[in-house]
Amino acid sequence: MMDSLRDSLGSLPRNWSAGSNLSSAPTKGPKPPSRKMQFIEKYRAWLLFFFVLPRSVVLRYVEIVLRWLTAPNPAKHEQRVRRVCAAVERWGTLKEPKPPMCTDRSANFSHSVRRTDKSKWHKIAIGDLRAILGIEASTRHGSVINVEPGVTVKEATQYLLERGLMLECTLEMEDATLGGLAAATGMTTHSHACGLIHDTIVEYKIVDCTGAVVTASADKNPELYRALPFSHGSLGLIVGLTLRVVAAKPMVKLTYTPFKSLDKFATTYREKLTAGDAAPFFLEAIIFSRESAVMVTGDLVEAVDKKGRWAADGLRVEYLGRWWKPWYFTRVRQALARGKWSEVVPIYEYLMRHDRSMCMTMATVMPFGNDPWFRYLFGWALPPKMSLLKGSHDAETREASLRKQVYQDVGFPARKLEEAVETSDSLFEIYPLLCYPCKVPAAAPGRMVRGTAGKAEAFANLGIYGVPPPIAKKRPFKTLHAVRALEKWVRQNGGFQHTYCDSLQSRAEFEVMFDTTLIDELRARDGGAAAKAFVDVYTKTRPEVDFGAWLKEEAEGA
């Protein structure tokens, strides 16, 4: 099956739109890397160690101080929103043709892999919209938190844990903003219960293309409410969010269960995923090879006793978030040799367990980062700031990030888990794989994620991050074609690709994977006012570089 899938991607797609990145220019084969690039590739880890990490530490503390000094007053939320409205109204008075609007947030601070050039667009300042507006009770949704879009996951999580609460869908990256996640997507190890982050958003507040504030919820402007997930600012500028929160406890009891069979692992994982009220509160897995995986289940528990043990089972508390501790995924791997075991972890350290290793990607960029000497002496400097890593890209290093490494997250029906692992193994041979759970609700008109059966279904998600072994061994490898093969498999199986990844799909292929019908309809209303004011989703989510020539080089290569 995989050979035919590879073969079908050997030629370029015929249905690329005029707006795609496919170049028609002839190619002469891949250029050899420049001396600078050869130096970077050879000494990448040490360049990161000596130059990026020190600047990251300084920048981290500068940002903490600046965010504290310039913290916006929650009581002046409406005043800040009116300023955004006025800015949009001023855009409306510009002479035609007007450039489309976007936020002023630098692409370097985004958690997507793209470095979108916003210079050709009209920027609307929203940087001061980062206040937590408070918690309130809702008879329909339980407790909810009201926030501005610039609030980070770290800020919201710390605020809520102090009050015995947590976001129902808490992403594991501290610096990610809730507005960015709401406009893109996100899932967690509780997503088998709550769904994607959009499924926990009770209400959006946006400023539309006329400068009006529009509230969208299941009851108020329901079409807009259904269309906003995955919309990437193509319908308006988010200025407020209301998200569901749930009760938290100080600790999480984790159980690590190893498997030496893909079939046994997948069957057990699906059983946990679909167990309803009997399912664990948290569920994830890390797949270390085609036949070995460790499933991690977690449940909220109370605080420990004075001796540092959890009173119920006498389990020792593991402070795995301390900077000298091994990266989380390497701790999970111990179960393959150690066997099944349990431990108790502080709730915040569990929620942010992947932050230091940047979801396992640090193993690629700094292989010695998990060595004891580095962890004990310099572990406190991790993770490097995303803005510095992205800001250091030039044309050649950005090309290398697309052609020499893989950073993909894909969701698909959980019944296809074995096939997904086999597909990833055949295409990339990259391990470990991060496996998350997800519940995709019954398809509603306008939902971007189509699903498969028109009803709620259990999904799984694979995070595929790393360098394919042939490239690590300096051998030719058709990375872009392999990614396109993965995208084709995802489309064929009713799945979806996370839009912060590099998507190599044509517009027609993108619209097979995602249902953009309602977004397109809303953008076309009132004479296409929103379409003129905001960039469309496909343009927002494709790579900012011309990868078509590279596809041709791969197709023409041996």
Side-chain angles (χ1 to χ4, degrees):
M1 180 193 71
M2 291 315 305
D3 288 340
S4 63
L5 190 57
R6 284 178 185 270
D7 292 342
S8 70
L9 271 297
S11 58
L12 294 173
R14 298 176 181 176
N15 56 349
W16 284 73
S17 68
S20 78
N21 285 345
L22 184 61
S23 170
S24 59
T27 60
K28 299 180 180 179
K31 294 180 180 179
S34 66
R35 290 184 178 181
K36 181 194 74 173
M37 193 64 202
Q38 293 177 41
F39 181 82
I40 290 174
E41 290 181 341
K42 185 175 182 179
Y43 300 107
R44 184 188 309 276
W46 294 107
L47 291 172
L48 185 66
F49 176 67
F50 284 111
F51 297 101
V52 177
L53 283 186
R55 294 178 64 192
S56 286
V57 172
V58 173
L59 182 59
R60 182 180 301 125
Y61 286 105
V62 168
E63 286 184 353
I64 290 172
V65 172
L66 288 178
R67 285 184 78 88
W68 176 71
L69 291 175
T70 62
N73 184 347
K76 295 184 178 181
H77 168 67
E78 296 301 331
Q79 180 178 324
R80 291 189 290 275
V81 172
R82 285 196 298 271
R83 179 189 52 73
V84 175
C85 295
V88 173
E89 289 170 358
R90 286 194 297 273
W91 171 86
T93 65
L94 298 177
K95 294 181 179 180
E96 297 288 353
K98 293 191 284 283
M101 288 180 284
C102 66
T103 70
D104 66 337
R105 190 179 188 218
S106 169
N108 290 341
F109 288 91
S110 166
H111 276 251
S112 78
V113 296
R114 297 176 293 277
R115 288 187 64 208
T116 304
D117 179 11
K118 294 186 174 184
S119 62
K120 55 190 174 182
W121 300 335
H122 184 86
K123 299 176 186 176
I124 303 295
I126 63 164
D128 58 346
L129 284 166
R130 49 184 177 81
I132 296 175
L133 305 176
I135 301 170
E136 60 180 299
S138 168
T139 55
R140 177 185 296 184
H141 304 290
S143 296
V144 296
I145 184 172
N146 297 309
V147 299
E148 293 178 335
V151 173
T152 66
V153 170
K154 177 181 181 179
E155 290 166 341
T157 301
Q158 290 178 338
Y159 176 88
L160 288 168
L161 287 178
E162 290 173 358
R163 293 158 177 80
L165 299 167
M166 59 184 285
L167 292 169
E168 190 172 18
C169 189
T170 305
L171 276 293
E172 289 85 356
M173 304 303 285
E174 290 184 333
D175 291 341
T177 64
L178 295 180
L181 294 169
T185 189
M187 65 170 57
T188 74
T189 54
H190 187 59
S191 285
H192 59 296
C194 67
L196 296 170
I197 191 169
H198 315 115
D199 299 308
T200 72
I201 298 176
V202 173
E203 184 177 278
Y204 299 83
K205 185 189 293 184
I206 72 167
V207 174
D208 70 11
C209 58
T210 69
V213 178
V214 181
T215 298
S217 67
D219 300 321
K220 191 180 296 184
N221 296 306
E223 283 187 323
L224 178 61
Y225 177 69
R226 292 196 303 270
L228 281 169
F230 286 92
S231 62
H232 285 267
S234 61
L235 295 170
L237 304 172
I238 297 176
V239 293
L241 293 165
T242 301
L243 302 97
R244 291 200 304 261
V245 299
V246 294
K249 292 183 180 180
M251 297 284 168
V252 180
K253 179 185 176 182
L254 298 178
T255 299
Y256 305 90
T257 306
F259 294 89
K260 298 297 179 67
S261 161
L262 174 60
D263 291 340
K264 179 63 175 176
F265 156 68
T267 299
T268 306
Y269 192 78
R270 275 191 294 270
E271 290 172 354
K272 295 289 185 181
L273 178 60
T274 58
D277 292 341
F281 193 88
F282 298 113
L283 173 65
E284 70 177 312
I286 300 180
I287 302 169
F288 293 98
S289 74
R290 192 161 180 156
E291 294 298 332
S292 64
V294 177
M295 182 176 69
V296 185
T297 58
D299 287 294
L300 300 172
V301 295
E302 293 296 341
V304 297
D305 62 15
K306 293 181 180 179
K307 295 182 179 180
R309 295 174 179 269
W310 182 44
D313 294 339
L315 296 174
R316 186 171 295 280
V317 176
E318 175 62 34
Y319 294 92
L320 52 80
R322 305 291 172 85
W323 47 264
W324 60 87
K325 294 289 186 176
W327 291 338
Y328 177 71
F329 72 93
T330 65
R331 182 169 184 80
V332 174
R333 185 163 50 203
Q334 294 175 13
L336 294 176
R338 180 177 176 178
K340 184 176 180 179
W341 99 93
S342 298
E343 63 186 3
V344 177
V345 177
I347 178 67
Y348 187 84
E349 295 191 14
Y350 170 76
L351 292 174
M352 301 303 157
R353 66 203 176 281
H354 290 299
D355 194 66
R356 280 189 299 128
S357 69
M358 296 181 70
C359 276
M360 309 189 299
T361 59
M362 285 301 298
T364 298
V365 298
M366 184 181 279
F368 56 73
N370 198 49
D371 291 349
W373 70 267
F374 180 88
R375 286 190 280 108
Y376 282 97
L377 294 176
F378 304 106
W380 49 270
L382 293 178
K385 294 293 292 183
M386 180 72 72
S387 57
L388 289 178
L389 293 176
K390 292 181 70 174
S392 65
H393 272 314
D394 60 15
E396 192 171 15
T397 57
R398 179 64 174 106
E399 177 181 351
S401 74
L402 262 168
R403 304 186 70 177
K404 295 185 177 182
Q405 64 186 37
V406 177
Y407 192 89
Q408 292 291 327
D409 257 304
V410 292
F412 48 86
R415 52 189 163 79
K416 294 282 186 176
L417 179 54
E418 296 96 327
E419 186 177 329
V421 174
E422 291 168 354
T423 299
S424 174
D425 181 87
S426 178
L427 290 174
F428 306 110
E429 300 179 76
I430 289 175
Y431 292 99
L433 304 173
L434 194 59
C435 185
Y436 270 26
C438 181
K439 177 179 68 176
V440 173
R447 281 189 62 96
M448 283 275 282
V449 176
R450 294 180 183 274
T452 57
K455 60 183 180 180
E457 184 171 8
F459 268 48
N461 188 91
L462 281 188
I464 309 168
Y465 323 122
V467 176
I471 290 178
K473 297 174 182 177
K474 309 298 183 183
R475 298 204 303 263
F477 183 77
K478 297 183 178 182
T479 308
L480 301 185
H481 279 73
V483 169
R484 280 190 45 76
L486 175 68
E487 292 170 340
K488 181 176 182 178
W489 183 89
V490 172
R491 288 195 304 273
Q492 290 175 335
N493 288 281
F496 64 94
Q497 180 184 40
H498 289 253
T499 50
Y500 56 78
C501 303
D502 277 324
S503 172
L504 307 185
Q505 301 181 95
S506 68
R507 186 180 293 272
E509 290 167 339
F510 183 86
E511 292 175 358
V512 169
M513 181 179 290
F514 295 105
D515 186 355
T516 64
T517 304
L518 183 56
I519 287 183
D520 294 340
E521 179 185 327
L522 294 177
R523 283 169 56 81
R525 289 180 183 176
D526 300 321
K532 296 174 185 176
F534 304 110
V535 182
D536 67 279
V537 180
Y538 176 72
T539 302
K540 278 284 192 77
T541 58
R542 72 185 191 187
E544 78 285 6
V545 293
D546 181 0
F547 60 85
W550 305 336
L551 274 169
K552 285 189 175 183
E553 289 175 0
E554 287 189 357
E556 294 167 0

